[in-house]
């Protein structure tokens, strides 16, 4: 559980995802060959985009792709061919504005605000286009970058890993040395390439690795990488996760953030400097310190609940901050109880307790769920007395287990009400 949480937080908290069309622009700027295209917000612009693209590339068939921060779009009907400019308006219109459901979206889907109009790179009559899988990521167990690739592209890589793991190759790259030419050649060789295709793949993987390093990304996933019958190697799809912590070095990438794709509460939390990650459960948590926050999530699970969020309020748990945190947690309608678990090391527990009481009073009717507060550390006893004597519907607890039991108790109680 802790491991899972940790990986999860690493994934969600420190990366910024971009759309496919933006990812391709980044790749292209480093010399990675891509399927060319233009983004459009409405059907009229889609037609114009197709006209311009047609002039630039000579193509008359297009593929129209929903731009959402989720994969599996093909399966959900978010990737469609338009065989001629006259088909573009209708096809784009059938994707724009829908709530696209894919294996990677929430059940209600994701609203499509933009489509990518791209050249159809699967030539008509081409009987042997090859689709490969390629990703670049950090191998945490070796502390090195890694290129993961497979001949089985265009399909779910998780399925390949499960059913035919021997078809997945990895190439570990020493970050100090970079990708060596022999390594790029090994990739091309393992993919079964020869002649021009081999040379093209060496060029592709070399440019891709350079792009990964220089863009300060934490994940590239190109699925599929396509080899056309005339031996062009290009990125047909692209997922790029940029490292949030390095964004200060890439002012131009900051503008690529699409807030419509992000959880609104997470966005708001970021603005007020709180470390919040939305989860699916029913118990809101307010904790100081990431380690304690994860232990608290475990505790909630043991008590039969599911955490509704990860929230690290950090060192300054004063009334204003506690109130902001409560308001954020309560924006999630699934929250049935809130567990406050604070260790007072630098921050004094009685200050936090006073913060909780003040915030509670301030918020009046907007708190409709029970709150369990566990404060441990400096002045914990004064803090407990403060909570107990406040006359508010706040339950205090001293021990971790006690807090868990109380969570269970209030959950059972709310269950009988609903
Ligand atoms: P994903 O489903 O979200 O991963 O989106 P992709 O960009 O990977 O597209 C899904 C599938 O659509 C690909 O695996 C291809 O088989 C197909 N596809 C993508 N671009 C083209 C194209 O230009 N022409 C044709 N015929 N098929 C394409
Ligand atoms: Mn794909």
């Amino acid at each position: 559980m802790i491991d899972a949480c940790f990986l999860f937080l690493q994934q969600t908290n420190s990366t910024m995802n971009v759309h496919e069309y933006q990812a391709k622009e980044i790749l292209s700027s480093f010399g990675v060959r891509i399927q060319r295209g233009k983004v459009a917000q409405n059907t009229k612009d889609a037609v114009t985009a197709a006209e311009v693209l047609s002039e630039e590339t000579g193509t008359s068939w297009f593929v129209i792709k929903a731009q959402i921060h989720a994969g599996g779009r093909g399966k959900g009907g978010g990737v469609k061919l338009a065989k001629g400019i006259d088909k573009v308006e209708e096809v784009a219109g059938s994707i724009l504005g829908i709530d696209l459901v894919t294996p990677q979206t929430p059940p209600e889907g994701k609203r499509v605000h933009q489509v990518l109009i791209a050249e159809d790179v699967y030539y008509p009559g081409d009987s042997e286009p090859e689709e490969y899988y390629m990703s670049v990521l950090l191998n945490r167990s070796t502390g090195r970058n890694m290129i993961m690739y497979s001949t089985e592209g265009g399909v779910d890589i998780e399925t390949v890993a499960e059913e035919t793991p021997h078809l997945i190759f990895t190439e570990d790259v020493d970050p100090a040395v970079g990708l060596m030419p022999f390594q790029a050649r090994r990739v091309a060789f393992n993919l079964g390439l020869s002649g021009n295709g081999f040379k093209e793949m060496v060029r592709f993987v070399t440019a891709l690795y350079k792009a990964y390093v220089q863009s300060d990304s934490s994940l590239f996933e190109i699925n599929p990488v396509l080899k056309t019958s005339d031996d062009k190697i290009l990125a047909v799809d692209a997922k790029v996760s940029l490292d949030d912590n390095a964004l200060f070095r890439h002012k131009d990438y900051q503008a690529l953030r699409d807030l419509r794709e992000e959880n609104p509460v997470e966005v708001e939390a970021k603005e007020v400097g709180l470390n919040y990650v939305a989860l699916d459960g029913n118990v809101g948590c307010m904790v100081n310190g990431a380690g304690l926050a994860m232990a608290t999530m475990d505790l909630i699970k043991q008590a039969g609940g599911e955490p509704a969020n990860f929230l690290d309020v950090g060192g300054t748990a004063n009334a204003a901050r506690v109130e902001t945190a409560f308001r954020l947690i309560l924006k999630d309608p699934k929250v049935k109880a809130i567990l406050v678990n604070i260790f007072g090391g630098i921050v004094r527990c009685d200050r936090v307790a006073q913060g909780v009481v003040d915030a509670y009073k301030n918020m009046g009717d907007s708190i409709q769920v029970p709150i369990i507060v566990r404060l441990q550390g400096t002045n914990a006893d004064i803090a407990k007395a403060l909570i107990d004597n406040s006359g508010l519907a706040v339950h205090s607890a001293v021990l971790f287990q006690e807090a868990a039991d109380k969570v269970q108790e209030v959950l059972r109680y709310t269950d009988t009400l609903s």
Side-chain angles (χ1 to χ4, degrees), residues 28-91:
S28 180
S29 73
F30 291 99
V32 179
R33 192 200 289 270
I34 55 159
Q35 172 194 45
R36 290 165 298 180
K38 300 197 181 301
V39 73
Q41 329 276 332
N42 54 55
T43 51
K44 189 167 158 281
D45 290 355
V47 174
T48 312
E51 282 164 1
V52 176
L53 195 62
S54 181
E55 260 172 40
E56 285 174 8
T57 67
T59 193
S60 53
W61 284 21
F62 308 89
V63 60
I64 302 190
K65 313 175 81 177
Q67 297 299 288
I68 54 168
H69 284 192
R73 296 163 301 167
K75 283 184 196 133
V79 177
K80 291 182 185 167
L81 281 180
K83 299 183 180 176
I85 289 198
D86 55 324
K87 302 283 188 325
V88 169
E89 185 172 356
E90 187 198 330
V91 176

Side-chain angles (χ1 to χ4, degrees), residues 20 35 63 65 70-75 79 81 119-122 131 154 223-224 236-237:
E20 175 199 358
Q35 172 194 45
V63 60
K65 313 175 81 177
R73 296 163 301 167
K75 283 184 196 133
V79 177
L81 281 180
E119 54 176 341
D120 178 6
V121 283
Y122 294 62
E131 290 184 319
N223 189 19
V236 165
D237 192 8

Side-chain angles (χ1 to χ4, degrees), residues 25 55 70 81 126 135 137 164 192 202 302 305 334 347 357-358 370 380 382 407 415:
E25 278 166 19
E55 260 172 40
L81 281 180
D126 186 347
S135 57
L137 66 164
T164 47
V202 168
Q302 274 174 26
K334 295 189 299 295
V347 56
V357 173
D358 291 350
I382 305 174
V407 169
D415 270 356

Side-chain angles (χ1 to χ4, degrees), residues 225-241:
V225 173
L226 181 77
K227 182 177 90 63
T228 59
S229 52
D230 57 354
D231 286 335
K232 287 201 189 83
I233 306 274
L234 55 121
V236 165
D237 192 8
K239 177 181 165 71
V240 163
S241 301

